[in-house]
Amino acid sequence: MDTDMTEGRILPVILKFMIPLLIGNVIQQLYNMADTVIVGRFVGAGALAAVGSTGSIMFLVVGFAQGLTAGFTVLTSQCYGAREYDRAKRSVQNGILLSIAVTIAVTLVSSLAMKPLLHLMNTPDEIFSMAYTYILIICLGTVSTVFNNLLSSFLRAVGNSIMPLCFLIFSAVLNVVLDLLLIITFSMGVAGAALATVIAQGVSAVLCYIYIRRRMPVLWPDRFSFRLNRSDTGHQLRIGIPMALQFAITASGTMIMQAAINICGAAAVAAYTAASKIGSLLMQGMISMGQAMATYCGQNYGRGDLYRIRTGVKQAAIAETVYSLAAAAAGLLLLQPTMALFFSPDTDMSQIYPMAEIYMKMSVAFYIPLSLIFLFRNAMQGCGYSILPMLGGVVELVTRLAAAAAAIHLKSYTLAVFCDPAAWLTAGIFLAIAYIYVRKDMQKHMEI
């Protein structure tokens, strides 16, 4: 079920690989929304705000681990494209050993730092205890997240986007069932929501492992040795560390933005949480195209085919622009009918809905530069260029920091939610310029 993306008509090959990713990402967002809906309707608006207030911290912890593991699988994609199958297997073994070390480190550091971090982010007192409970359980379950993403990424590295989708669908259904069981039947509140997420991702990781061992001989080492390969470790860390730092830098920016929103009160946090969940669902087409381009560019870079890389990026950019316009229209139309899903019928929406509308209108106006961020960042990373994408994250961080500082000083919710659009615009411009440089650099090296 692996797909060779170095041959065939370019856009159909990309779209064929992307569509299962899109379906999977949408399903993942839907079950994340189901978490939020169940918490908001059965525990209360305060619990919804508590879960939402930890979103940026969760992105920091999980994103850092995901960035490292995604970087570890770039080598696998390049080896597969170059038909170096023995080295591809070795890269899998090496990536697993590195991920074990990452899991231990991230779990320890995040668990110890969580309470001070919540205080630093101005988490409102009335939701602090619930927020801490939720995010601590997520941190302790980092092993589920890391290995679910690592093993799914190994499958995608060789062009298999179908099986990760199947496992994701199963875990999504399991997550919702566990939510209902733990939150409603056992009255576990936000702790139940966090446990449901950790368990569902752990089950998905186990299913991926079983499938790779039994059905993907091109990936699994013939003999697993608990010893790191020096050359592969260096290669994987050179790509993985900047990718992880890029996630961490971007997440730090969203944490600063969340701190600016937190200072506006629990109603503002609840409004932003609900509206951003809807926005995240709409962004999945952009994210999926970016993920597809990482594998596409990785395989073609391994093959040495610059023409396919350049043409693929150009065609993907057109597709991303069309999708961004459609997603913007959908966001404006769907906000009002979907907001009611997140809150119990007796919730006073007079404050919450106008704040959610402000966020949505500002966000959709900048969907095109956001889509180009995903495209150019993943294309460069797939080709092994990790520093410039990381610097794009720095541009996002600086922009969010400036906007958030002004928002905190003025106590302005409108300025706080403008942090995202401002960051998307500046980073989109930077990464477009960076991609032009990378394309010229690849041409020069291939000519040599």
Side-chain angles (χ1 to χ4, degrees):
M1 205 173 286
D2 47 320
T3 302
D4 187 348
M5 302 181 78
T6 63
E7 298 175 350
R9 293 175 59 202
I10 292 175
L11 189 59
V13 165
I14 294 171
L15 293 176
K16 180 182 177 182
F17 182 73
M18 187 205 82
I19 289 173
L21 294 176
L22 175 58
I23 295 171
N25 287 337
V26 168
I27 289 171
Q28 187 162 11
Q29 287 301 311
L30 286 174
Y31 86 68
N32 287 341
M33 285 178 66
D35 271 355
T36 311
V37 168
I38 293 169
V39 168
R41 293 184 72 87
F42 293 99
V43 188
L48 174 66
V51 172
S53 69
T54 65
S56 55
I57 303 177
M58 187 172 171
F59 180 41
L60 172 64
V61 175
V62 175
F64 182 84
Q66 285 179 344
L68 272 175
T69 54
F72 297 162
T73 64
V74 168
L75 176 61
T76 308
S77 178
Q78 292 178 350
C79 292
Y80 180 80
R83 312 295 195 267
E84 297 176 0
Y85 300 124
D86 287 341
R87 194 179 178 201
K89 292 179 181 181
R90 194 177 71 195
S91 73
V92 170
Q93 172 181 287
N94 218 67
I96 290 172
L97 294 176
L98 289 173
S99 296
I100 292 172
V102 168
T103 299
I104 295 170
V106 171
T107 302
L108 286 174
V109 172
S110 62
S111 300
L112 294 173
M114 203 45 60
K115 190 169 282 188
L117 199 52
L118 286 171
H119 283 298
L120 187 63
M121 291 180 60
N122 304 316
T123 305
D125 292 338
E126 62 267 32
I127 63 173
F128 187 92
S129 177
M130 289 187 289
Y132 178 67
T133 298
Y134 179 83
I135 194 62
L136 181 62
I137 293 172
I138 294 294
C139 291
L140 293 174
T142 299
V143 60
S144 295
T145 304
V146 168
F147 280 91
N148 182 36
N149 283 281
L150 177 72
L151 298 173
S152 296
S153 295
F154 279 134
L155 288 172
R156 287 191 287 267
V158 296
N160 187 338
S161 56
I162 299 295
M163 292 313 299
L165 169 62
C166 295
F167 301 141
L168 178 60
I169 292 172
F170 178 82
S171 67
V173 173
L174 177 62
N175 188 77
V176 173
V177 171
L178 289 172
D179 271 337
L180 295 170
L181 181 67
L182 298 177
I183 294 173
I184 300 174
T185 305
F186 292 101
S187 302
M188 292 183 66
V190 296
L195 280 172
T197 299
V198 170
I199 293 170
Q201 291 194 346
V203 170
S204 180
V206 171
L207 292 174
C208 281
Y209 166 76
I210 293 171
Y211 181 81
I212 291 173
R213 282 295 306 268
R214 294 184 177 179
R215 299 293 183 88
M216 297 295 294
V218 73
L219 281 177
W220 198 257
D222 299 321
R223 184 178 178 184
F224 198 97
S225 162
F226 286 92
R227 185 175 61 186
L228 292 170
N229 178 274
R230 187 172 183 177
S231 172
D232 288 354
T233 298
H235 190 116
Q236 288 174 314
L237 290 178
R238 278 197 303 272
I239 299 175
I241 289 176
M243 287 179 69
L245 290 176
Q246 170 232 302
F247 270 99
I249 291 165
T250 303
S252 299
T254 60
M255 287 169 60
I256 293 166
M257 174 181 170
Q258 185 71 59
I261 293 170
N262 288 350
I263 210 168
C264 298
V269 176
Y272 168 72
T273 299
S276 63
K277 289 289 184 183
I278 299 167
S280 294
L281 183 62
L282 296 171
M283 294 172 194
Q284 295 312 305
M286 313 172 200
I287 294 171
S288 302
M289 179 63 82
Q291 292 172 328
M293 291 306 293
T295 299
Y296 172 84
C297 291
Q299 288 192 15
N300 282 285
Y301 183 83
R303 193 70 178 270
D305 195 336
L306 182 58
Y307 170 78
R308 281 184 71 86
I309 294 173
R310 186 170 59 243
T311 306
V313 170
K314 185 184 298 184
Q315 294 182 7
I318 296 170
E320 287 273 47
T321 301
V322 173
Y323 177 86
S324 298
L325 294 174
L332 296 174
L333 291 172
L334 295 176
L335 178 64
Q336 187 169 6
T338 51
M339 279 292 291
L341 296 173
F342 292 90
F343 301 94
S344 58
D346 59 344
T347 303
D348 181 9
M349 298 294 291
S350 59
Q351 267 190 303
I352 294 175
Y353 179 74
M355 289 181 169
E357 189 176 33
I358 289 171
Y359 170 80
M360 185 59 70
K361 286 182 176 178
M362 282 194 175
S363 295
V364 299
F366 293 86
Y367 272 5
I368 291 176
L370 174 62
S371 69
L372 296 179
I373 289 175
F374 293 118
L375 173 61
F376 293 133
R377 176 177 286 162
N378 281 277
M380 288 188 285
Q381 288 171 340
C383 296
Y385 290 80
S386 51
I387 299 299
L388 286 171
M390 183 187 73
L391 292 178
V394 174
V395 172
E396 285 189 68
L397 173 62
V398 171
T399 307
R400 280 197 179 93
L401 179 61
I408 292 171
H409 177 71
L410 299 173
K411 294 185 178 179
S412 168
Y413 173 81
T414 302
L415 194 52
V417 296
F418 183 66
C419 291
D420 268 348
W424 298 341
L425 179 62
T426 53
I429 294 171
F430 174 85
L431 289 171
I433 296 170
Y435 169 71
I436 294 172
Y437 164 79
V438 165
R439 193 178 67 186
K440 292 179 179 178
D441 189 64
M442 287 192 295
Q443 179 72 52
K444 181 175 67 177
H445 281 84
M446 288 183 182
E447 285 175 354
I448 293 173

